[in-house]
Amino acid sequence: MDRRTFVKSSAISGAGLAVNGSNLFKGMGSFLLNEQEPVSLNGNRFVTFCIMIRTTPWEVSRDIKLHPRDESAWHTLDGVRWMREAFAKNNPDGRLTWGFTLNALEDKRKNYVEIRNYAAECQRKYGDEVSYFPGYFPAMYLPRERINREMTEAIETITDFVGNGYRPQAIMGGFLSANNLQYLAEKEKIHTAHAVIWSQSNIDGGGADGSPSYPFYPSTEHFCKPAQNDKDFIDCVNLDGWTMDFICARRSGASDHEITGYNSRRGVGPIETYIGWGLDLGHREVMHTQSIHFDKGYELNGFGWVTNIWEAQLVYEFGKELVCNALEMWVTGTKKRWPDTRFVTFGEYGNIWRNQHKNNDKWNYRFEERGSGLGDSYNNLEIKWFMNKEFRLALLRDWHQNTPEMVIDFTRYDLTAKEPADPSPEHPDKNWSLINEINQKGLRAQDKPRLIKELDKKAKELIAGYYPGLMV
C-alpha cells in the first residue's frame, strides 16, 4: 500500500491521520507513512509548508488589525485551489498545513465558507492539517490569557467544521509566549507550534531574535530559550516559520524586496525571492537556501528541514501565473534535486522530532554557508552556526580574503531569561528578543565582532565543551 492510499484509507476508516492526527501517534514509536514504513528524523529531509488565510495584513485578533487593507475579496476558492494544485502538481503525496486567522475561521461570507470547506476536504483527501494562526505576533499586543482563550475557541471551531473529531497537531503561532506554549501542551494536548521566526528583528512591525533555527523545547522563562532541565521544560516543540539565508539574516530589518535592496528574511519566502527577483533569480536563491539544510546541513546534522509559509492573497495580489508557477517551480525543483524530500504537515514533523528527542540534551545543530552571490547574500562571506541547549554561536569570515573567523553572535541559554509583562493593544511590547553577549544584528555597541579568544573565560569554556576544535 503506498502512502497516498494509506492516507485515503485512514480517512475512510476514521482510524488515522486524515481524521484525527492524534490517533496516529498514540502509542507509536514513529510516524507511519504506510503500514510497513516508519519514518525517523535522522536520515530524512523534510519540508513543512503552510497556506495562510486571513482578512487583513498583520491581523492580530478579531478586533486588532495593524494594517487597514481589506483583503477579504482577495481570498477565493479558486485562488486556494490553484495553490493547492500547484503544490501537488509533481508532489502528489505531499501534505501541507492550512493556517486560518480567527477572523478567517469565523467569517460567514461565501468565499470564506467555501475555503474552509475546501481545507476540510483536503484534510480528508490528502491528510492536510487544518490549523489556527493566532494573528501576527500576538504576544506583542495581547495578554497571555486572551491568547490562550482564543486558541481554545479556534481549535473548537476547526473541530466543528472539519468534523469526525479532528484536532490539529500544531498551531501556527507567529510568536507565542512560554505561557501560551505551556497552555497548548498541558490544556490542549498539542505538542507542536510554529512559535518563533528565527532571527526576526525589525521587520513586519516587530520581532524577536535569540532562538535556535531548528526545533527545540522552550523554557518556561522565555519562548526563545531552550529548556535547560526538567524544571523549566515545556513539552511543546517550538518550530521556525521561515527558512532564511543565513548571510542575509545576520542583518536587521529590510529595505525592500528587490535584488538591489536587503531583506533579513531572504530565503524561501515567496515575496522575498520569486516576487522580488522573478522566477529565475528567485528560484536560484530558494534552492541555495535549501541546499544549506539539505546538503551540508544534512551531512552535519543527520537530517534536513526547510519550512515555508505563503499567504493565500498572493494569487490575487501578484497574479496566478507568477505565484502558482513559483510554487510549482519550488516544489518540483525540490523533488528533482532531493527526491527523498518528504512534504509533511507542521504537526507531523513536530511529532517526528519529538519522538527522537525527549528533551534538549542531545540536539546539536551546525550549519555552514557561503553566500549565493545574489543580492545581499554576498558570495565572499562564509558563515558557520553552532546551536545547542546552552548557547548559539555564529562565526563569519571573508573567505575570498581568507580573513579570521569573527564571532558575530554568542547567545547564552544558561543565563536567566525573562519575557515582558502582559502587553495590550494600547500598550504593545515589541522587545521579546533574547540577546546577551553578542548579537549578529549588530544592534548594540557590544555587538562588535571579535575573535573567539577575545571572549570572556566562561564563554570560552562553554564553547570548548562542545566544540574544542574551535579553540585551536
Side-chain angles (χ1 to χ4, degrees):
M1 184 186 295
D2 65 22
R3 173 168 37 166
R4 193 170 182 182
T5 303
F6 171 70
V7 171
K8 287 184 176 180
S9 66
S10 297
I12 293 169
S13 69
L17 167 69
V19 169
N20 186 345
S22 61
N23 293 337
L24 188 63
F25 296 102
K26 288 180 180 177
M28 289 192 176
S30 59
F31 170 62
L32 296 179
L33 288 184
N34 62 39
E35 293 169 335
Q36 288 80 38
E37 184 186 2
V39 173
S40 65
L41 180 71
N42 285 349
N44 282 300
R45 295 175 175 88
F46 301 93
V47 172
T48 50
F49 173 59
C50 176
I51 295 177
M52 191 66 65
I53 316 293
R54 66 193 192 192
T55 63
T56 64
W58 296 353
E59 180 180 321
V60 181
S61 186
R62 294 182 180 97
D63 55 332
I64 311 299
K65 301 180 180 184
L66 307 180
H67 195 291
R69 186 172 76 184
D70 181 1
E71 296 178 344
S72 57
W74 297 13
H75 289 74
T76 66
L77 176 59
D78 282 343
V80 297
R81 182 184 284 121
W82 290 333
M83 292 183 76
R84 184 62 179 80
E85 290 174 352
F87 172 81
K89 179 72 175 294
N90 294 300
N91 181 34
D93 295 334
R95 296 182 295 282
L96 57 79
T97 295
W98 298 87
F100 289 84
T101 65
L102 200 55
N103 285 308
L105 283 175
E106 297 177 339
D107 199 302
K108 304 300 183 184
R109 285 172 288 188
K110 180 182 177 183
N111 57 328
Y112 283 102
V113 173
E114 290 178 337
I115 290 171
R116 291 194 294 269
N117 289 338
Y118 179 69
E121 176 187 335
C122 290
Q123 197 283 319
R124 292 186 290 271
K125 184 176 181 180
Y126 303 112
D128 287 357
E129 181 169 42
V130 182
S131 181
Y132 170 52
F133 178 61
Y136 284 76
F137 318 131
M140 298 181 185
Y141 299 93
L142 302 178
R144 290 162 172 81
E145 186 278 330
R146 175 173 171 176
I147 295 171
N148 291 339
R149 172 166 40 86
E150 291 182 354
M151 286 195 296
T152 292
E153 293 170 0
I155 293 166
E156 291 173 350
T157 299
I158 290 169
T159 296
D160 286 343
F161 78 79
V162 175
N164 294 316
Y166 173 82
R167 285 172 58 83
Q169 288 296 293
I171 294 297
M172 305 301 298
F175 293 157
L176 291 173
S177 72
N179 173 273
N180 300 143
L181 294 171
Q182 192 163 11
Y183 177 88
L184 274 178
E186 296 179 359
K187 302 298 183 181
E188 293 295 345
K189 310 303 179 187
I190 291 176
H191 299 286
T192 301
H194 148 45
V196 71
I197 303 174
W198 182 80
S199 195
Q200 173 108 357
S201 180
N202 193 29
I203 191 168
D204 273 355
D209 188 19
S211 71
S213 65
Y214 264 32
F216 65 97
Y217 291 110
S219 164
T220 55
E221 294 179 0
H222 198 292
F223 79 107
C224 285
K225 174 180 175 176
Q228 300 297 294
N229 50 56
D230 291 344
K231 293 181 180 179
D232 72 337
F233 178 84
I234 298 174
D235 185 11
C236 189
V237 182
N238 198 342
L239 298 183
D240 192 5
W242 280 272
T243 295
M244 286 170 276
D245 183 317
F246 288 123
I247 298 292
C248 301
R250 80 189 196 285
R251 304 179 68 174
S252 175
S255 62
D256 57 45
H257 302 302
E258 301 298 324
I259 197 164
T260 53
Y262 79 89
N263 192 305
S264 63
R265 215 169 62 197
R266 188 95 68 203
V268 300
I271 297 175
E272 297 84 0
T273 52
Y274 292 109
I275 292 168
W277 293 2
L279 292 179
D280 179 35
L281 293 182
H283 190 62
R284 293 189 203 181
E285 173 62 14
V286 168
M287 297 301 280
H288 165 78
T289 301
Q290 293 196 145
S291 71
I292 301 166
H293 302 271
F294 283 172
D295 291 336
K296 188 64 175 181
Y298 180 88
E299 174 188 332
L300 292 170
N301 300 314
F303 71 102
W305 173 48
V306 169
T307 187
N308 205 348
I309 298 174
W310 289 34
E311 290 93 346
Q313 95 287 344
L314 293 176
V315 173
Y316 180 95
E317 189 173 2
F318 298 104
K320 173 189 175 183
E321 183 176 357
L322 173 59
V323 172
C324 292
N325 283 347
L327 182 53
E328 181 182 334
M329 181 180 287
W330 166 53
V331 174
T332 301
T334 300
K335 295 289 283 188
K336 182 177 180 179
R337 182 165 171 179
W338 300 283
D340 61 340
T341 300
R342 303 179 187 278
F343 284 77
V344 300
T345 69
F346 279 73
E348 289 169 7
Y349 177 68
N351 277 285
I352 290 169
W353 188 90
R354 184 169 172 255
N355 179 66
Q356 181 159 322
H357 294 280
K358 305 305 178 187
N359 51 45
N360 291 325
D361 291 347
K362 293 184 179 180
W363 60 262
N364 185 351
Y365 305 130
R366 295 180 59 186
F367 309 98
E368 296 180 7
E369 177 197 0
R370 287 181 176 178
S372 68
L374 295 169
D376 46 327
S377 182
Y378 305 116
N379 67 356
N380 64 306
L381 296 181
E382 177 185 79
I383 195 168
K384 295 180 180 179
W385 275 99
F386 307 83
M387 303 178 190
N388 55 68
K389 181 179 80 170
E390 294 189 84
F391 62 86
R392 77 174 198 179
L393 168 71
L395 304 177
L396 185 70
R397 75 181 184 112
D398 185 327
W399 67 278
H400 287 186
Q401 301 297 324
N402 197 28
T403 60
E405 292 181 326
M406 305 297 290
V407 179
I408 63 166
D409 188 286
F410 189 66
T411 300
R412 287 176 55 179
Y413 299 133
D414 62 322
L415 302 176
T416 300
K418 185 178 181 181
E419 295 180 339
D422 269 348
S424 67
E426 298 76 24
H427 300 286
D429 195 328
K430 300 181 180 182
N431 185 24
W432 285 74
S433 295
L434 187 68
I435 297 173
N436 42 63
E437 192 158 338
I438 306 175
N439 181 254
Q440 60 165 334
K441 303 295 188 183
L443 301 173
R444 310 163 303 176
Q446 64 263 41
D447 294 335
K448 183 179 178 180
R450 67 196 79 167
L451 297 168
I452 285 183
K453 67 181 181 180
E454 296 173 333
L455 300 178
D456 62 37
K457 180 180 178 182
K458 178 60 177 177
K460 288 186 285 189
E461 288 175 351
L462 282 171
I463 295 169
Y466 279 86
Y467 317 109
L470 293 180
M471 308 308 295
V472 176

